[in-house]
Every structure is written in C-alpha cells, then in structure tokens.
Amino acid sequence: MKKQAQKSVKITPALRALIKKAVTESDWLHHPEPGRVNNGWPMFDEKEVLNALDALLNVRISQGVKVQLFEEMAAKYVGTKYAVACNSGSSANLLALTALIASGKVKRGDEVIIPATTFATVASPIVQAGLIPVYVDVDQNSWNLDIKEVEKAIGPKTRVLMPVHTFGNPVDMPAIMKIAKKHKLIVLEDCCEAHGAAIGKKKVGSFGDISTLSFFVAHNITTGEGGMIFTNDKKLDELLRSLREFGRVSNDVMKNERFTHGDKVLKGFDARYIFLRLGYNMRMTDITASLGIEQIKKLDSFNKQRIRNVEAYLKALAPYEKFLILPTIRKGTFHSFYGFPFLIKKDAPFSRMDFVKFLEARGIETRPFFGGCLPDQPAFRDEPKRVVGNLPVARWTRDWSIFVGCHPALTADHIKHVTKAFKEFLSQY
Ligand SMILES: Cc1ncc(COP(=O)(O)O)c(C=O)c1O
C-alpha cells in the first residue's frame, strides 16, 4: 500500500502578522492590571501562540516531535544526557521515584529525606510510591534543607536524599553530593521552583542522579501544566519513558520488533500492546511542548528581570531588617527567584495576618511558603513518616512566612506599588 505523504500546513506571513497584532493588542497577555501584583504570570508573545497553532494545524495533538524537541532543548539547557517530559512537576516526582524503584536502586519501605517546608507533591509521591518521607528542618536563611540536620537524619532505611531548590535558591549541592557519596545514597533534586538556577556555571538538576522540573502557570517558564525529568542514566531514562506511557516496551522495540518481540507467553503479540510494568499515562502533548520550546529560549532573560525586581524589593526592605529575614543570594550561585520570600521575626510588633491584609488590600497577592511544615498538614499527619527533631524553622515559616510575585510581567509601576506598600506598612512600627 502506498504511504500517503503527510501534508504540512504552514503558517503564512499574513497569519503570523495577524496573530502578532492580536497578541500585541492583548493587555491580558502582557500586563496584570495596574495596581494588581499576582504571584506569577505567564509571559507569552506571538511565538508561543504560533507554535501552538502550528501543532494544532498539523494535528500534532498528542506526544510527538514537539515533545521530543522540547526534551532535547531542556536536556541541553540543564546539562544532562536525557530529559523526559510529562504532564506536571507532581507527576515528574512520582515518575522519578517509581523509576528508581523499578531500577532496583530503591525498594518499597525505604526512606527519602526531604525538607519539611515545601510543596505537598514533594512528599505525596513518596508515600504514593510506597516509600517513607523523612522530614528534616530547613535553614532559616535559604529555607532549603538544613545541611547540618541531613546527616543526623540518615538511618538504616534511608536510600534517597531529595533536596528542593526552594524559590530557586540552589541547595548546597556539593555538600549534598558529599553526604550522598559517604552514605551511598541516591540524590533526586526537585528543581520545580528553580528553572535556570545554578551553582557557578552548573545548573541545578545536573548534580544529582535524577531531577525534576515543573512548568505550571506560575513558574519561571510555563506550558500551563507540564513537567520534566532529567538524568544521565540510560536505564532510568528508558524506565521513565515506559512508566509515563502505561508501562510499555520501548519505542525502539515497538518500531523494529513489532511482531517479533514477545516473551514466553506472548509470542508474536503486537509489541505496542505489551506492558512490562505497572505504568501511568503522564505524557505531555505537542501543543503543550510547543509553548515550552519558545519559553525555554527566554528563560535566562526572564530570570535576569526577576533579579532586578528582587533587588528593588530588597532595597525597600533593607531598613526594616530588624523585623524581617530577607532572602540572600549566596556567592557563586544564581538564584532564579520563583517568588520573593521573606520571614517575619517572631518578636516583630505586627503579625503575619496584619502584613498580609495590608498587602492584599492593595492588590498584592501573598502566599505562605507552600505547605509551611508538611507533617502538620492534614494530608500527611496520619501517613507513614519520620520526623527529625522539632522542626523549629519549618514551624516558624508555617506561621510567619510570606512570598510575593517578582515575575517579569511586572512593570516599573508595579514594582513601585509593592515597594511603597512595604514601606507604608513597616514604617508604622
Ligand atoms: C517544589 C515543588 N515540587 C513539585 C511541585 C509540583 O509541580 P506541579 O504544580 O507542576 O505539579 C511544585 C509546585 O509548584 C513545587 O513547588
């Protein structure tokens, strides 16, 4: 049978000009309304829209060539051999942990060390995969895993260290890798808040055995929903691809040994329907990937703008350090500032609620540091866990932390609005 040539639909210059005009004229795509400062904002121009349109016009609506290209670009950017796209950062964590189990490197019942202050789906995939989270306190300046506590937390069942680069502030990875080497542990870096963050020239996500990213809408770059897993380990890459797609045999087998693969029971059975392990469907679509392809080209310039915004906030807050603990950029590191976090000192003459109400009344969105102290959350209270110490800093962040947006869609007027609000509130005390 003659194979029908696939006709590709091209975006014409006229269509390109039309979309560019529509995007340029759309306030929504560019600016949150004046006086409103959201925590995050998608930064799209016509390139994302056109690439997504190209996917639609060519009916590339499931996982295909655009996902593959996005994976290649992301692996090159982070500096790993392999990158596997999926549908969210939460799925990326679940796939990464499940692949570690499927590889035999980790077994059910083993422990995974995580910071107590972080997002829910750092801990829940650990429990969902049949592993035990070990909650360790965070450092009061970086809100990352407290390195001093990590070594104390290691027990006979500990197999994985899972540092999270909180708000894009790189964890001291050389120290983590040293501990991992000494105790023969695997390192899973959660970089879901740390797109482009680096230590020296080395990007976070390239230090550990495996790492994850999220492309949720509020993040430094976004595909709406989306995630990615990075590794240099070929076996893990193969397992991740299989697990993200129902537990299937590899693409190579499906293509080259479709009716010859089989095993002792399934002889000559179509390899497309041979399932080797319990898998999920966590694929990214080409429509989603088309956004990521354009976004990743802009990441470095977005991050530079974030840092400029943070510098303005830091300048405004510097006179009030007696009340606050402000984020610092460690020498030799590149902090990508997913948000602008600060911690109120417990002896400050105002409460978090006072500050939150003041900011929110002026259209400035606030958030606590994610789950605060995860073992205190209803979801985790009765689930298997080990808690190391009393988690004083995690509980402090639970009750006293705030973060606000510093994303590149904010104009000079937005930044002025925030710094003015900071000063107005704090100068009362
Ligand atoms: C540290 C961390 N890990 C995982 C996730 C989950 O990512 P997603 O929202 O894409 O599922 C988040 C969410 O933002 C996060 O902050």
Side-chain angles (χ1 to χ4, degrees), residues 87-93 117-123 125 162-167 190-194 212-219 224-227 338 370:
N87 58 358
S88 72
S90 306
S91 300
N93 280 344
T117 296
T118 189
F119 193 69
T121 50
V122 175
M162 189 172 173
V164 178
H165 303 284
T166 309
F167 290 108
D190 180 321
C191 312
C192 288
E193 300 163 15
T212 57
L213 259 187
S214 156
F215 302 111
F216 177 61
V217 71
H219 290 223
E225 301 283 355
Y338 162 77
F370 312 103

Side-chain angles (χ1 to χ4, degrees), residues 123 201 309 362 380:
K201 287 200 174 349
N309 294 343
R362 283 152 187 78
F380 302 108

